[in-house]
């Protein structure tokens, strides 16, 4: 599961447009919108520091949050945010309303484990990561935090495909084929022969 949920306080925003958004940012607030779940969109303003802290903490796009808009609580999942290209502060956030049966599409990061148990890496092979994230469909209340990819026994020339990953119930890859996540490739300088012989003797 993704990291624990959190709550943000917001205020409803009646005025929209570039002028209004600039004024909000000057006052330490971020313009945002809550939409979806067959309800009318709500334009809101959030505390810039609070949102920026959440973005930098990681898992922002895969963690369901609660937004308290003037006392009314909305369960949401961040769907997009814009950063200022020069100053790197948050300009705007889009939130999707979610409920228990809401299906969402999210990108889940990939973690590699047991690198020390990979014969290919031991002899100097290189882990070539094709996908750092896997895009999946899943229930909003059951978003995985990450996928572990086990490198035990992987030799040079081996590939790791999505079929080798045990996915939680209800979590399905967006791409409908057995795509490659990573490969073990020979190093540009060639294989360490002494290490390879040691591996063979072991």
């Amino acid at each position: 599961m993704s990291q624990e949920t959190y709550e943000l306080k917001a205020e409803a925003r009646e005025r929209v447009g570039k002028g209004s958004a600039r004024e909000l940012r000057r006052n330490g607030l971020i313009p945002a919108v809550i939409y979806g779940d067959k309800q009318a969109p709500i334009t809101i303003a959030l505390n810039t520091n609070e949102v920026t802290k959440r973005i930098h903490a990681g898992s922002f796009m895969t963690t369901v949050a609660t937004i308290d808009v003037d006392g009314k609580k909305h369960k949401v999942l961040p769907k997009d945010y814009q950063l200022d290209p020069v100053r790197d502060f948050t300009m705007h956030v889009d939130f999707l309303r979610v409920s228990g049966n809401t299906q969402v599409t999210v990108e889940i990061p990939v973690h590699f484990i047991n690198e020390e148990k990979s014969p290919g890496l031991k002899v100097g092979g290189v882990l070539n990561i094709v996908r750092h994230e896997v895009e999946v469909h899943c229930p909003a209340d059951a978003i995985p935090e990450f996928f572990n990819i086990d490198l035990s026994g992987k030799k040079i020339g081996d590939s790791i495909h999505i079929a080798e990953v045990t996915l939680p119930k209800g979590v399905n890859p967006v791409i409908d084929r057995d795509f490659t996540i990573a490969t073990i490739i020979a190093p540009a300088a060639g294989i360490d022969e002494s290490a390879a012989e040691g591996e063979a003797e072991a």
Side-chain angles (χ1 to χ4, degrees):
M1 282 289 292
S2 59
Q3 65 177 359
E4 289 184 15
T5 187
Y6 58 90
E7 184 170 306
L8 294 170
K9 294 274 188 186
E11 56 188 60
R13 183 166 61 99
E14 292 180 7
R15 291 174 54 218
V16 295
K18 288 186 177 178
S20 170
R22 277 196 295 267
E23 185 181 338
L24 282 175
R25 293 185 193 108
R26 277 197 300 270
N27 293 325
L29 299 171
I30 297 173
V33 63
I34 299 173
Y35 67 94
D37 206 24
K38 299 178 182 174
Q39 298 178 47
I42 304 172
T43 52
I44 60 172
L46 293 161
N47 180 281
T48 301
N49 291 338
E50 278 292 311
V51 175
T52 302
K53 188 168 70 178
R54 291 294 173 184
I55 290 173
H56 290 308
S59 302
F60 181 66
M61 302 294 285
T62 56
T63 302
V64 173
T66 301
I67 297 183
D68 183 335
V69 185
D70 300 329
K72 185 177 180 183
K73 299 195 175 186
H74 303 263
K75 205 173 176 184
V76 300
L77 181 70
K79 289 304 290 179
D80 192 25
Y81 63 90
Q82 289 93 43
L83 297 176
D84 182 280
V86 178
R87 289 170 289 177
D88 197 37
F89 65 82
T90 312
M91 300 276 291
H92 187 272
V93 187
D94 291 344
F95 294 98
L96 174 71
R97 283 190 194 90
V98 297
S99 55
N101 56 3
T102 303
Q103 289 285 319
V104 294
T105 302
V106 288
E107 292 187 338
I108 307 300
V110 170
H111 292 179
F112 294 90
I113 61 171
N114 293 326
E115 294 187 23
E116 73 284 356
K117 295 180 181 177
S118 161
L121 295 179
K122 276 188 177 179
V123 299
V126 177
L127 178 63
N128 174 45
I129 302 173
V130 180
R131 295 176 186 273
H132 289 272
E133 296 175 322
V134 173
E135 191 174 24
V136 299
H137 298 303
C138 64
D141 58 358
I143 300 173
E145 188 172 357
F146 54 82
F147 294 136
N148 272 334
I149 309 296
D150 192 349
L151 298 176
S152 297
K154 297 298 179 185
K155 302 183 289 293
I156 287 176
D158 285 353
S159 297
I160 300 106
H161 297 88
I162 188 64
E164 296 177 53
V165 182
T166 303
L167 300 177
K169 186 179 178 182
V171 176
N172 299 294
V174 169
I175 299 173
D176 189 21
R177 59 181 167 78
D178 192 16
F179 55 85
T180 302
I181 295 174
T183 57
I184 309 278
I185 59 174
I191 298 170
D192 180 343
E193 296 292 344
S194 60
E197 286 170 13
E199 283 298 306
E201 288 169 8

